[in-house]
Amino acid sequence: MLESWLWNPLVLTLQIASWTFLFHALFGIALAWALSGKPHPLKGIVDILITIPIVFPPIALGFLLLLLLGKNGILGAPLKEFGIEIVFAPLGVLIASFLAGLPLVVKPIQSALDEQDRIYSEASYVLGKGKLQTFYRVLLPSISKVIFASLFLGLGRSFGEVGITLMLGGNIIGETDTMGLAIYNHAFSGETEKALVLCAVLGAFSLMVFGILRKMAYRN
């Protein structure tokens, strides 16, 4: 049995990564589809919100989300009335992971959809298929390689998320400390050997994701 200092962050990280991958597949692809096509002011606003985690410092973004989702926040207060707690809970860690990797999922898929030849879509419409059927029967299969690559990029980003997680999750030992935060904790307390072990484990997962991306890149 692994020591708790390694086991707890490892399990939490894998759980969060699994849920993040699922939510990216569901919402990331849907958002990419919604943002593709002709520009619209509303699309521009959504696009900016999705891209913020790339250009805005994670710790600052985490602080703003803390104000928004905290127990006295605009969204946090109503949710608390229904027994839903986000800040300093695993749900906060999941939201941090999801938001951090979302741009890496949405933007490549959006670009791939915009580059698709309209002939295929128009042919599908002529055959009597609706917009939704055309999307998942024609467009998605044609960019499947981009979709999987984007999902694994988002997964890789979730493994290394620290800033937003620190603010929303609270870095509670044994509850919300992911691998990245555990490395920070042990390094800060002078437990170098434990920090190195955690780095090695996290690095192994990162290399696995990198290997999958390379294999997909060279696959015909």
Side-chain angles (χ1 to χ4, degrees), residues 147-183:
I147 290 174
F148 283 107
S150 300
L151 289 174
F152 278 103
L153 278 174
L155 181 65
R157 178 66 181 87
S158 72
F159 279 133
E161 167 52 36
V162 172
I164 307 175
T165 307
L166 180 62
M167 299 302 293
L168 287 185
N171 195 14
I172 302 173
I173 306 300
E175 293 186 25
T176 62
D177 58 327
T178 59
M179 294 287 287
L181 289 176
I183 292 172

Short mmCIF file of all heavy atoms in Angstrom, two decimals, residues 147-183:
data_model
loop_
_atom_site.label_atom_id
_atom_site.label_comp_id
_atom_site.label_asym_id
_atom_site.label_seq_id
_atom_site.Cartn_x
_atom_site.Cartn_y
_atom_site.Cartn_z
N ILE A 147 -9.83 16.26 -32.48
CA ILE A 147 -10.61 16.18 -31.24
C ILE A 147 -9.85 15.43 -30.16
O ILE A 147 -9.71 15.91 -29.02
CB ILE A 147 -11.97 15.51 -31.50
CG1 ILE A 147 -12.86 16.42 -32.34
CG2 ILE A 147 -12.66 15.17 -30.19
CD1 ILE A 147 -14.17 15.80 -32.76
N PHE A 148 -9.35 14.24 -30.49
CA PHE A 148 -8.64 13.45 -29.49
C PHE A 148 -7.34 14.13 -29.06
O PHE A 148 -6.98 14.11 -27.87
CB PHE A 148 -8.36 12.05 -30.02
CG PHE A 148 -9.55 11.14 -29.99
CD1 PHE A 148 -10.20 10.80 -31.16
CD2 PHE A 148 -10.03 10.65 -28.79
CE1 PHE A 148 -11.31 9.98 -31.14
CE2 PHE A 148 -11.14 9.82 -28.75
CZ PHE A 148 -11.78 9.48 -29.93
N ALA A 149 -6.64 14.76 -30.00
CA ALA A 149 -5.41 15.47 -29.64
C ALA A 149 -5.72 16.62 -28.69
O ALA A 149 -5.00 16.85 -27.71
CB ALA A 149 -4.72 15.98 -30.90
N SER A 150 -6.80 17.35 -28.95
CA SER A 150 -7.18 18.47 -28.11
C SER A 150 -7.59 18.00 -26.71
O SER A 150 -7.24 18.62 -25.71
CB SER A 150 -8.35 19.23 -28.75
OG SER A 150 -7.99 19.73 -30.01
N LEU A 151 -8.32 16.88 -26.64
CA LEU A 151 -8.74 16.35 -25.35
C LEU A 151 -7.54 15.92 -24.51
O LEU A 151 -7.51 16.15 -23.29
CB LEU A 151 -9.69 15.17 -25.55
CG LEU A 151 -11.09 15.52 -26.08
CD1 LEU A 151 -11.88 14.26 -26.38
CD2 LEU A 151 -11.84 16.38 -25.08
N PHE A 152 -6.54 15.35 -25.14
CA PHE A 152 -5.36 14.93 -24.39
C PHE A 152 -4.49 16.13 -24.01
O PHE A 152 -3.82 16.11 -22.97
CB PHE A 152 -4.55 13.90 -25.18
CG PHE A 152 -5.09 12.52 -25.06
CD1 PHE A 152 -5.82 11.94 -26.09
CD2 PHE A 152 -4.88 11.77 -23.90
CE1 PHE A 152 -6.34 10.67 -25.96
CE2 PHE A 152 -5.40 10.49 -23.77
CZ PHE A 152 -6.13 9.94 -24.81
N LEU A 153 -4.50 17.18 -24.81
CA LEU A 153 -3.82 18.42 -24.41
C LEU A 153 -4.48 19.01 -23.17
O LEU A 153 -3.80 19.45 -22.24
CB LEU A 153 -3.85 19.44 -25.56
CG LEU A 153 -2.82 19.30 -26.66
CD1 LEU A 153 -3.09 20.29 -27.76
CD2 LEU A 153 -1.41 19.48 -26.11
N GLY A 154 -5.81 19.03 -23.17
CA GLY A 154 -6.53 19.51 -22.00
C GLY A 154 -6.26 18.65 -20.78
O GLY A 154 -6.13 19.16 -19.66
N LEU A 155 -6.15 17.33 -21.00
CA LEU A 155 -5.84 16.42 -19.90
C LEU A 155 -4.46 16.70 -19.33
O LEU A 155 -4.27 16.74 -18.11
CB LEU A 155 -5.92 14.98 -20.40
CG LEU A 155 -5.64 13.88 -19.37
CD1 LEU A 155 -6.69 13.87 -18.28
CD2 LEU A 155 -5.57 12.52 -20.06
N GLY A 156 -3.49 16.92 -20.22
CA GLY A 156 -2.14 17.23 -19.77
C GLY A 156 -2.09 18.52 -18.98
O GLY A 156 -1.37 18.62 -17.97
N ARG A 157 -2.87 19.50 -19.41
CA ARG A 157 -2.94 20.77 -18.67
C ARG A 157 -3.55 20.58 -17.29
O ARG A 157 -3.12 21.21 -16.32
CB ARG A 157 -3.75 21.78 -19.48
CG ARG A 157 -3.92 23.13 -18.82
CD ARG A 157 -2.59 23.85 -18.68
NE ARG A 157 -2.76 25.13 -18.02
CZ ARG A 157 -2.74 25.29 -16.69
NH1 ARG A 157 -2.57 24.24 -15.89
NH2 ARG A 157 -2.88 26.49 -16.16
N SER A 158 -4.53 19.70 -17.17
CA SER A 158 -5.18 19.47 -15.88
C SER A 158 -4.24 18.84 -14.87
O SER A 158 -4.33 19.09 -13.67
CB SER A 158 -6.42 18.59 -16.06
OG SER A 158 -6.08 17.25 -16.33
N PHE A 159 -3.30 18.02 -15.36
CA PHE A 159 -2.34 17.40 -14.46
C PHE A 159 -1.46 18.45 -13.76
O PHE A 159 -1.06 18.27 -12.62
CB PHE A 159 -1.42 16.43 -15.23
CG PHE A 159 -2.03 15.09 -15.48
CD1 PHE A 159 -1.97 14.51 -16.73
CD2 PHE A 159 -2.69 14.39 -14.47
CE1 PHE A 159 -2.53 13.26 -16.98
CE2 PHE A 159 -3.25 13.16 -14.70
CZ PHE A 159 -3.18 12.58 -15.96
N GLY A 160 -1.16 19.53 -14.47
CA GLY A 160 -0.23 20.51 -13.92
C GLY A 160 -0.86 21.75 -13.34
O GLY A 160 -0.14 22.68 -12.95
N GLU A 161 -2.19 21.81 -13.26
CA GLU A 161 -2.86 23.00 -12.75
C GLU A 161 -2.59 23.20 -11.26
O GLU A 161 -2.76 22.29 -10.45
CB GLU A 161 -4.37 22.89 -13.00
CG GLU A 161 -5.20 23.90 -12.25
CD GLU A 161 -4.74 25.34 -12.45
OE1 GLU A 161 -4.30 25.68 -13.57
OE2 GLU A 161 -4.79 26.11 -11.48
N VAL A 162 -2.16 24.40 -10.89
CA VAL A 162 -1.86 24.72 -9.49
C VAL A 162 -2.54 26.01 -9.03
O VAL A 162 -3.20 26.05 -8.00
CB VAL A 162 -0.33 24.83 -9.26
CG1 VAL A 162 -0.05 25.34 -7.85
CG2 VAL A 162 0.35 23.49 -9.47
N GLY A 163 -2.37 27.08 -9.82
CA GLY A 163 -2.82 28.41 -9.38
C GLY A 163 -4.30 28.50 -9.07
O GLY A 163 -4.70 28.90 -7.96
N ILE A 164 -5.15 28.12 -10.04
CA ILE A 164 -6.60 28.20 -9.82
C ILE A 164 -7.01 27.21 -8.74
O ILE A 164 -7.87 27.49 -7.90
CB ILE A 164 -7.37 27.93 -11.13
CG1 ILE A 164 -6.86 28.82 -12.24
CG2 ILE A 164 -8.87 28.14 -10.93
CD1 ILE A 164 -7.49 28.54 -13.60
N THR A 165 -6.38 26.02 -8.77
CA THR A 165 -6.71 24.98 -7.79
C THR A 165 -6.39 25.43 -6.37
O THR A 165 -7.14 25.14 -5.43
CB THR A 165 -5.91 23.69 -8.10
OG1 THR A 165 -6.14 23.32 -9.46
CG2 THR A 165 -6.34 22.56 -7.19
N LEU A 166 -5.29 26.14 -6.22
CA LEU A 166 -4.89 26.62 -4.90
C LEU A 166 -5.96 27.54 -4.31
O LEU A 166 -6.26 27.47 -3.11
CB LEU A 166 -3.56 27.36 -5.00
CG LEU A 166 -2.97 27.93 -3.70
CD1 LEU A 166 -2.68 26.81 -2.72
CD2 LEU A 166 -1.72 28.73 -4.00
N MET A 167 -6.55 28.40 -5.16
CA MET A 167 -7.54 29.35 -4.67
C MET A 167 -8.89 28.70 -4.43
O MET A 167 -9.54 28.95 -3.42
CB MET A 167 -7.68 30.51 -5.66
CG MET A 167 -6.39 31.31 -5.88
SD MET A 167 -5.71 32.02 -4.36
CE MET A 167 -6.98 33.21 -3.97
N LEU A 168 -9.33 27.86 -5.36
CA LEU A 168 -10.66 27.26 -5.24
C LEU A 168 -10.67 26.04 -4.32
O LEU A 168 -11.63 25.82 -3.58
CB LEU A 168 -11.18 26.84 -6.62
CG LEU A 168 -11.61 27.96 -7.56
CD1 LEU A 168 -12.21 27.38 -8.83
CD2 LEU A 168 -12.60 28.89 -6.90
N GLY A 169 -9.60 25.25 -4.38
CA GLY A 169 -9.56 24.02 -3.57
C GLY A 169 -9.07 24.24 -2.16
O GLY A 169 -9.41 23.48 -1.25
N GLY A 170 -8.25 25.27 -1.96
CA GLY A 170 -7.78 25.58 -0.63
C GLY A 170 -6.58 24.78 -0.16
O GLY A 170 -6.08 24.99 0.95
N ASN A 171 -6.11 23.82 -0.99
CA ASN A 171 -4.91 23.05 -0.62
C ASN A 171 -5.07 22.37 0.75
O ASN A 171 -4.20 22.43 1.61
CB ASN A 171 -3.68 23.96 -0.62
CG ASN A 171 -2.39 23.16 -0.60
OD1 ASN A 171 -2.37 21.95 -0.85
ND2 ASN A 171 -1.29 23.83 -0.28
N ILE A 172 -6.21 21.71 0.95
CA ILE A 172 -6.47 21.00 2.20
C ILE A 172 -5.84 19.61 2.12
O ILE A 172 -6.21 18.81 1.26
CB ILE A 172 -7.98 20.87 2.46
CG1 ILE A 172 -8.63 22.27 2.50
CG2 ILE A 172 -8.24 20.14 3.77
CD1 ILE A 172 -10.14 22.24 2.57
N ILE A 173 -4.88 19.33 2.99
CA ILE A 173 -4.14 18.07 2.94
C ILE A 173 -5.09 16.89 3.10
O ILE A 173 -5.89 16.83 4.03
CB ILE A 173 -3.06 18.01 4.05
CG1 ILE A 173 -2.14 19.24 3.94
CG2 ILE A 173 -2.26 16.73 3.93
CD1 ILE A 173 -1.41 19.37 2.65
N GLY A 174 -5.00 15.96 2.16
CA GLY A 174 -5.83 14.76 2.20
C GLY A 174 -7.20 14.93 1.60
O GLY A 174 -7.94 13.95 1.49
N GLU A 175 -7.55 16.15 1.19
CA GLU A 175 -8.88 16.39 0.62
C GLU A 175 -8.84 17.08 -0.74
O GLU A 175 -9.49 16.64 -1.68
CB GLU A 175 -9.73 17.21 1.59
CG GLU A 175 -10.07 16.49 2.89
CD GLU A 175 -11.02 17.31 3.75
OE1 GLU A 175 -11.76 18.15 3.18
OE2 GLU A 175 -11.03 17.11 4.97
N THR A 176 -8.08 18.17 -0.83
CA THR A 176 -8.06 18.92 -2.09
C THR A 176 -6.64 19.17 -2.60
O THR A 176 -6.44 20.02 -3.47
CB THR A 176 -8.77 20.28 -1.92
OG1 THR A 176 -8.08 21.06 -0.95
CG2 THR A 176 -10.22 20.08 -1.51
N ASP A 177 -5.66 18.45 -2.06
CA ASP A 177 -4.29 18.64 -2.53
C ASP A 177 -4.00 17.66 -3.68
O ASP A 177 -3.88 16.47 -3.49
CB ASP A 177 -3.27 18.46 -1.41
CG ASP A 177 -3.36 17.11 -0.74
OD1 ASP A 177 -4.48 16.56 -0.64
OD2 ASP A 177 -2.31 16.58 -0.32
N THR A 178 -3.92 18.20 -4.88
CA THR A 178 -3.59 17.41 -6.05
C THR A 178 -2.08 17.14 -6.08
O THR A 178 -1.34 17.59 -5.20
CB THR A 178 -4.00 18.15 -7.33
OG1 THR A 178 -3.31 19.42 -7.36
CG2 THR A 178 -5.50 18.41 -7.35
N MET A 179 -1.63 16.44 -7.10
CA MET A 179 -0.20 16.14 -7.22
C MET A 179 0.63 17.42 -7.28
O MET A 179 1.67 17.54 -6.64
CB MET A 179 0.06 15.28 -8.46
CG MET A 179 -0.54 13.90 -8.39
SD MET A 179 0.35 12.80 -7.27
CE MET A 179 1.83 12.49 -8.21
N GLY A 180 0.16 18.37 -8.07
CA GLY A 180 0.89 19.63 -8.20
C GLY A 180 1.00 20.37 -6.88
O GLY A 180 2.07 20.88 -6.52
N LEU A 181 -0.10 20.44 -6.14
CA LEU A 181 -0.08 21.11 -4.84
C LEU A 181 0.73 20.33 -3.83
O LEU A 181 1.40 20.92 -2.96
CB LEU A 181 -1.51 21.30 -4.33
CG LEU A 181 -2.34 22.35 -5.07
CD1 LEU A 181 -3.76 22.38 -4.52
CD2 LEU A 181 -1.71 23.72 -4.95
N ALA A 182 0.69 19.00 -3.90
CA ALA A 182 1.47 18.17 -2.98
C ALA A 182 2.97 18.40 -3.19
O ALA A 182 3.74 18.44 -2.22
CB ALA A 182 1.13 16.69 -3.17
N ILE A 183 3.38 18.56 -4.44
CA ILE A 183 4.79 18.87 -4.72
C ILE A 183 5.16 20.20 -4.08
O ILE A 183 6.21 20.33 -3.45
CB ILE A 183 5.03 18.91 -6.24
CG1 ILE A 183 4.87 17.52 -6.85
CG2 ILE A 183 6.42 19.47 -6.56
CD1 ILE A 183 4.89 17.50 -8.36
#
